[in-house]
């Protein structure tokens, strides 16, 4: 059976990969430089440790009702292009996020780097779709 990462193992892998993970109340935050962008990505293990989640805060939507249906629709349509990365909106916090889920089985630094790079590419490639956030 492939091994799974623990919180400490995830931190150690991120350290080994050259990131500087900062501990959060859940998971770790890394900053990824990509061109003119600095992308902040949270990596967190699910409660049952079977999944690794990658999260990026795309910004606050102060008045969600002022965002046009066409803008929300564009986000939903783009989910099909960037899956398994998806957009989701937290109505309580009024924040838009991008999220990606990985199986926590046999993750190697090479696989995790590829997933982080793809996720960061998804963030950048969809930037025009979420520019209405603050």
């Amino acid at each position: 059976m492939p091994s799974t990462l623990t919180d400490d193992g995830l931190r150690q892998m991120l350290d080994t990969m050259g990131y500087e993970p900062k501990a959060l109340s859940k998971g770790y935050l890394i900053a990824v430089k990509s061109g003119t962008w600095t992308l902040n990505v949270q990596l967190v293990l699910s409660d049952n440790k079977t999944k690794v989640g990658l999260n990026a805060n795309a910004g606050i939507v102060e008045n969600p009702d002022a965002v046009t249906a066409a803008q929300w629709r564009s986000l939903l349509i783009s989910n099909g292009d960037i899956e398994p990365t998806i957009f989701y909106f937290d109505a309580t916090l009024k924040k838009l996020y991008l999220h990606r889920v990985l199986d926590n089985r046999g993750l190697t630094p090479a696989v995790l780097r590829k997933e982080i790079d793809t996720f960061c590419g998804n963030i950048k490639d969809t930037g025009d779709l979420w520019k209405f956030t603050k």
Side-chain angles (χ1 to χ4, degrees):
M1 181 169 157
S3 64
T4 58
L5 290 172
T6 61
D7 283 311
D8 283 342
L10 177 59
R11 181 190 48 76
Q12 289 171 2
M13 185 177 288
L14 292 169
D15 276 335
T16 301
M17 294 168 65
Y19 296 111
E20 297 174 4
K22 294 183 175 72
L24 301 172
S25 58
K26 284 190 110 183
Y28 301 95
L29 185 70
I30 61 170
V32 180
K33 303 247 188 254
S34 179
T36 59
W37 295 62
T38 299
L39 305 165
N40 293 302
V41 176
Q42 177 196 28
L43 290 95
V44 62
L45 294 175
S46 61
D47 290 339
N48 65 6
K49 308 294 188 229
T50 62
K51 304 290 181 194
V52 178
L54 281 66
N55 299 299
N57 180 348
I60 295 172
V61 183
E62 290 176 354
N63 184 358
D65 294 333
V67 178
T68 68
Q71 288 171 302
W72 287 119
R73 184 174 56 243
S74 292
L75 291 176
L76 290 174
I77 290 169
S78 76
N79 279 343
D81 297 328
I82 62 175
E83 68 175 316
T85 299
I86 61 162
F87 280 99
Y88 77 91
F89 179 67
D90 183 318
T92 304
L93 297 176
K94 294 187 175 181
K95 288 185 179 178
L96 181 67
Y97 294 93
L98 283 99
H99 180 69
R100 186 176 186 95
V101 176
L102 315 172
D103 279 332
N104 183 16
R105 287 181 294 170
L107 268 180
T108 63
V111 170
L112 185 57
R113 181 170 310 279
K114 182 176 181 259
E115 293 289 346
I116 291 169
D117 289 348
T118 300
F119 184 65
C120 289
N122 295 155
I123 297 167
K124 289 174 60 175
D125 292 346
T126 60
D128 284 345
L129 300 178
W130 48 269
K131 62 185 176 191
F132 60 80
T133 64
K134 303 260 186 259

